[in-house]
């Protein structure tokens, strides 16, 4: 066994000596890297995993927690300049039970913990417990989102002692996040909507999100002062989106006619962000044709005035001298009041107008059509444009765009497509010159073109050769085994002529080969003679 082991060691040493210095360096470097990687992995795997046990309120509580952990033999860590205590993951449950016996709450606050109460628990205490539960829940939810490494949340629940204030106030949520990538405005708004919904808020006005660098990602305060509840940034974003959608659709329709090569559009939509609540009441009769009114009065008053006796004097010829004199004035009056009150049918319609509607009457649109006019040097020569000038002079005289007249039909078409009044649409059209130099007589251009083709073909051929060469299987050339001294002399003996045929004066080729071998390998010759003497070789 020892002999076998020694042979293996000798072979390894022999193989190691056969390698070059570069190969030895590569092998040593690779082995070192592998050993370091294995050491790092072993350290990471065997390293204790610590998790947060509790966040102490003050250093007094921190001292109590550490004392309990020391008494129970649990290893722990306290982060620098913080009150956060961590223990090994395997001891987390037992550690929670240990500090719970001292009436110290561990982190990972649950809803059941928030709802626990006793006779001494006040409404204010319940509110704080629920706020703490929301904070723990929001931290867990935020840290599970992509791009957020850690989060800190503060929840402020308003006072509910006043029933009116309790129904109108909303919870305030302040968030500080540590991100590992850029958080877009859309993502921040989505997070704010999630927090508002989870907190029971109807709006995001009381939600604020910043990152650990102090950059504001979302601020609900910018929305609180607007009637519509939409921030100025949100308004601009919405305006840009609907303008871009309209421009793309309109541009595609205008270019589809093929009459113009390009079109530039500048659209300015005026948006109404007022939230309007309209209530309309419609009255109708109950089947007859009586006029509709809520209440009607009809007043009639009549009267007369006169003397009861005959005015003036009468003849005394009559025997009767008696006069009838009334004691009243003879006035009469009549007053009549007719009151009518109908109960007509009524239909009440409430219309809530969403903010952000387009005011087409105040919106405007500017359109510029571009028509490319191509001037080819060869065509211009045929048409006689270059009879009295050079091609460069012709180009300098025709570089300015030429304005064109636009038919009213285009304006009506654009107005119908956008809804904007024709009076608010401005349309211009220009012819833009485009010059093409002649290539028919340029020998240099043609030579350059073919040189580029030839160069590309050469490069392509080299690439194909390299690919084929690298894809060809490797061939192992077998080297002839080195002949031993005995085999060489035996072969020489078989091929050499008889001793009698050797001319002493003229050396044969065989003799020259033997003498050369003896001069170059004296040790081998000595070994050969030793073998002859020992083995009686002939």
């Amino acid at each position: 066994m020892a002999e076998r082991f020694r042979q293996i060691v000798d072979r390894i040493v022999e193989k190691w000596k056969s390698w070059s210095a570069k190969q030895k360096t590569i092998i040593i470097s690779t082995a070192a890297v592998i050993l370091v990687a294995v050491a790092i992995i072993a350290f990471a795997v065997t390293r204790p995993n610590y998790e947060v046990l509790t966040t102490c309120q003050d250093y007094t509580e921190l001292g109590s927690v550490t004392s309990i952990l020391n008494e129970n033999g649990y290893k722990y860590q306290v982060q620098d300049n913080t009150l956060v205590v961590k223990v090994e993951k395997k001891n987390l449950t037992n550690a929670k039970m240990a500090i719970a016996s001292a009436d110290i709450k561990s982190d990972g606050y649950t809803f059941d913990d928030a709802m626990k109460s006793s006779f001494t628990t006040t409404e204010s205490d319940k509110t704080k417990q629920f706020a703490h539960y929301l904070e723990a829940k929001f931290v867990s939810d935020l840290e599970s989102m992509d791009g957020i490494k850690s989060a800190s949340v503060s929840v402020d629940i308003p006072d509910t002692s006043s029933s009116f204030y309790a129904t109108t106030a909303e919870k305030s949520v302040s968030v500080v996040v540590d991100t590992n990538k850029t958080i877009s405005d859309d993502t921040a708004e989505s997070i704010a909507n999630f927090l508002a919904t989870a907190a029971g808020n109807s709006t995001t006005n009381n939600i604020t999100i910043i990152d650990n660098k102090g950059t504001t990602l979302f601020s609900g305060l910018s929305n609180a002062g607007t009637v519509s509840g939409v921030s100025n940034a949100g308004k601009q974003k919405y305006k840009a989106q609907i303008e871009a959608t309209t421009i793309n659709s309109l541009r595609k329709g205008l270019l589809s006619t093929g009459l113009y090569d390009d079109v530039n559009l500048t659209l300015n939509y005026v948006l109404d962000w007022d939230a309007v609540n309209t209530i309309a009441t419609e009255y109708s009769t109950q089947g007859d044709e009586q006029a509709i009114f809520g209440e009607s009065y009809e007043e009639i008053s009549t009267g007369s005035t006169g003397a009861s006796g005959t005015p003036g004097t009468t003849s005394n010829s009559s025997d009767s001298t008696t006069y009838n004199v009334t004691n009243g004035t003879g006035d009469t009056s009549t007053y009549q009041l007719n009151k009518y009150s109908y109960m007509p049918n009524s239909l009440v319609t409430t219309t809530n107008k969403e903010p952000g509607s387009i005011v087409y009457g105040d919106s405007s649109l500017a359109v510029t059509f571009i028509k490319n006019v191509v001037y080819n040097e060869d065509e211009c020569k045929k048409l006689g444009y270059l009879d009295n000038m050079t091609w460069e002079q012709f180009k300098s005289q025709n570089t300015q765009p030429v304005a064109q007249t636009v038919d009213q039909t285009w304006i009506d078409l654009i107005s119908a497509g956008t809804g904007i009044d024709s009076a608010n649409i401005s349309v211009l059209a220009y012819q833009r010159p485009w010059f093409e130099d002649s290539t028919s007589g340029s020998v240099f251009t043609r030579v350059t073109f073919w040189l580029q083709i030839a160069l590309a073909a050469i490069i392509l051929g080299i690439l194909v050769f390299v690919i084929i060469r690298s894809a060809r299987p490797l061939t192992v050339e077998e080297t002839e085994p080195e002949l031993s001294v005995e085999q060489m002399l035996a072969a020489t003996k078989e091929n050499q002529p008889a001793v009698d045929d050797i001319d002493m004066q003229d050396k044969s080729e065989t003799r020259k080969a033997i003498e050369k071998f003896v001069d170059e390998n004296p040790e081998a010759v000595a070994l050969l003679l030793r073998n002859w003497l020992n083995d009686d070789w002939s």
Side-chain angles (χ1 to χ4, degrees):
M1 184 66 182
E3 182 67 23
R4 180 65 176 171
F5 179 76
R6 187 170 60 255
Q7 291 178 358
I8 294 175
V9 173
D10 293 340
R11 290 181 181 179
I12 294 174
V13 172
E14 183 179 357
K15 188 67 176 177
W16 174 259
K17 292 181 179 179
S18 65
W19 287 336
S20 63
K22 183 177 181 180
Q23 290 176 326
K24 293 179 180 179
T25 303
I26 295 174
I27 293 174
I28 294 174
S29 301
T30 304
V33 171
I34 293 174
L35 291 176
V36 172
V38 171
I40 293 174
I41 293 174
F43 175 76
V45 172
T46 58
R47 183 182 181 184
N49 185 13
Y50 284 84
E51 291 191 359
V52 176
L53 171 64
T54 183
T55 301
C56 301
Q57 299 295 329
D58 48 36
Y59 285 97
T60 302
E61 185 175 296
L62 178 62
S64 301
V65 172
T66 55
S67 299
I68 295 173
L69 296 177
N70 288 326
E71 292 174 0
N72 292 272
Y74 298 139
K75 295 182 179 180
Y76 63 89
Q77 292 180 348
V78 179
Q79 295 184 359
D80 296 338
N81 300 323
T82 64
L83 299 174
V84 178
V85 181
K86 293 183 178 181
V87 297
E88 294 182 6
K89 184 178 181 179
K90 62 180 180 180
N91 298 325
L92 181 61
T93 302
N94 294 331
K96 287 184 177 181
M97 296 173 61
I99 65 174
S101 61
D103 197 20
I104 300 175
K105 289 183 172 56
S106 61
D107 282 3
Y109 205 58
T110 64
F111 183 76
D112 293 336
D113 296 331
M115 293 296 101
K116 290 180 180 179
S117 62
S118 61
F119 290 106
T120 59
T121 304
T122 63
E123 290 297 327
S124 177
D125 295 335
K126 292 181 180 179
T127 301
K128 293 179 180 178
Q129 291 176 357
F130 184 66
H132 185 45
Y133 160 72
L134 290 179
E135 292 171 354
K137 180 181 183 302
F138 290 161
V139 167
S140 177
D141 293 336
L142 291 173
E143 291 180 349
S144 65
M145 297 181 182
D146 182 31
I148 298 178
K149 294 191 296 184
S150 60
S152 175
V153 181
S154 298
V155 177
D156 181 33
I157 300 178
D159 184 17
T160 58
S161 57
S162 172
S163 60
F164 173 78
Y165 188 72
T167 57
T168 56
E170 295 186 343
K171 303 177 184 66
S172 298
V173 182
S174 302
V175 179
V176 180
V177 294
D178 184 8
T179 61
N180 51 22
K181 71 175 187 180
T182 303
I183 302 296
S184 63
D185 294 339
D186 292 338
T187 302
E189 186 175 357
S190 300
I191 295 175
N193 290 327
F194 163 74
L195 295 175
T197 303
N201 294 352
S202 58
T203 65
T204 58
N205 294 342
N206 294 327
I207 308 296
T208 302
I209 305 174
I210 64 174
D211 61 10
N212 58 336
K213 303 178 184 63
T215 303
T216 301
L217 304 179
F218 182 87
S219 177
L221 295 177
S222 60
N223 302 341
T226 61
V227 178
S228 60
V230 182
S231 64
N232 292 328
K235 292 178 181 179
Q236 295 298 326
K237 180 180 178 181
Y238 175 74
K239 183 175 183 292
Q241 288 177 344
I242 61 174
E243 287 179 349
T245 302
T246 304
I247 288 174
N248 292 334
S249 178
L250 182 60
R251 188 174 188 274
K252 183 178 179 181
L254 295 177
L255 293 179
S256 64
T257 61
L259 299 177
Y260 293 95
D261 298 304
D262 195 9
V263 60
N264 298 320
L265 301 104
T266 303
L267 176 61
N268 179 29
Y269 270 146
V270 176
L271 304 180
D272 184 7
W273 292 101
D274 295 335
V276 180
N277 185 5
T278 304
I279 299 177
T281 304
E282 181 181 357
Y283 296 97
S284 62
T285 60
Q286 300 181 3
D288 55 15
E289 297 181 356
Q290 178 65 42
I292 300 173
F293 47 81
E295 194 170 300
S296 175
Y297 295 91
E298 182 181 0
E299 184 177 358
I300 302 174
S301 178
T302 60
S304 62
T305 303
S308 61
T310 303
T313 59
T314 59
S315 176
N316 295 322
S317 60
S318 175
D319 295 336
S320 176
T321 58
T322 302
Y323 293 91
N324 295 321
V325 180
T326 62
N327 55 3
T329 60
D331 295 341
T332 61
S333 65
T334 303
Y335 176 79
Q336 181 179 355
L337 175 63
N338 297 326
K339 182 177 181 181
Y340 306 96
S341 178
Y342 293 91
M343 296 295 294
N345 295 331
S346 63
L347 176 63
V348 179
T349 303
T350 303
T351 303
N352 294 322
K353 182 180 178 182
E354 291 294 335
S357 59
I358 302 174
V359 183
Y360 291 100
D362 297 335
S363 302
S364 59
L365 174 64
V367 182
T368 303
F369 289 108
I370 302 297
K371 179 67 175 179
N372 292 328
V373 180
V374 180
Y375 294 99
N376 184 271
E377 185 177 358
D378 297 331
E379 295 294 332
C380 290
K381 289 180 180 179
K382 293 179 182 180
L383 296 174
Y385 295 160
L386 305 180
D387 292 343
N388 299 321
M389 66 181 70
T390 63
W391 174 241
E392 297 298 330
Q393 292 175 343
F394 178 82
K395 289 194 294 184
S396 64
Q397 293 180 5
N398 294 276
T399 55
Q400 297 298 326
V402 180
Q404 301 294 310
T405 303
V406 180
D407 190 82
Q408 181 64 31
T409 305
W410 284 100
I411 300 178
D412 296 338
L413 176 65
I414 296 172
S415 177
T418 59
I420 299 176
D421 190 81
S422 301
N424 297 334
I425 299 177
S426 300
V427 180
L428 299 175
Y430 290 93
Q431 286 186 349
R432 182 172 58 188
W434 189 268
F435 303 99
E436 291 182 353
D437 296 335
S438 175
T439 58
S440 59
S442 178
V443 178
F444 177 76
T445 302
R446 293 198 300 271
V447 173
T448 303
F449 173 76
W450 288 111
L451 285 176
Q452 292 175 353
I453 296 297
L455 182 60
I458 293 173
I459 295 174
L460 181 61
I462 295 174
L463 291 176
V464 172
F465 174 77
V466 171
I467 293 173
I468 295 175
R469 185 74 176 177
S470 61
R472 188 173 63 182
L474 297 175
T475 58
V476 180
E477 296 182 359
E478 297 182 358
T479 58
E480 295 182 0
E482 185 178 355
L483 296 176
S484 63
V485 177
E486 292 82 357
Q487 292 174 344
M488 182 181 296
L489 292 177
T492 304
K493 181 178 180 182
E494 293 176 358
N495 296 328
Q496 69 180 0
V499 178
D500 297 339
D501 297 337
I502 299 176
D503 188 1
M504 300 302 294
Q505 300 297 329
D506 298 329
K507 294 183 179 180
S508 64
E509 295 297 329
T510 303
R511 182 178 176 182
K512 293 179 180 179
I514 294 174
E515 291 178 352
K516 182 179 179 181
F517 178 77
V518 172
D519 294 337
E520 295 179 355
N521 301 282
E523 296 179 357
V525 174
L527 179 62
L528 177 61
L529 293 175
R530 189 180 298 109
N531 290 335
W532 285 350
L533 295 174
N534 295 333
D535 299 335
D536 192 19
W537 184 81
S538 61

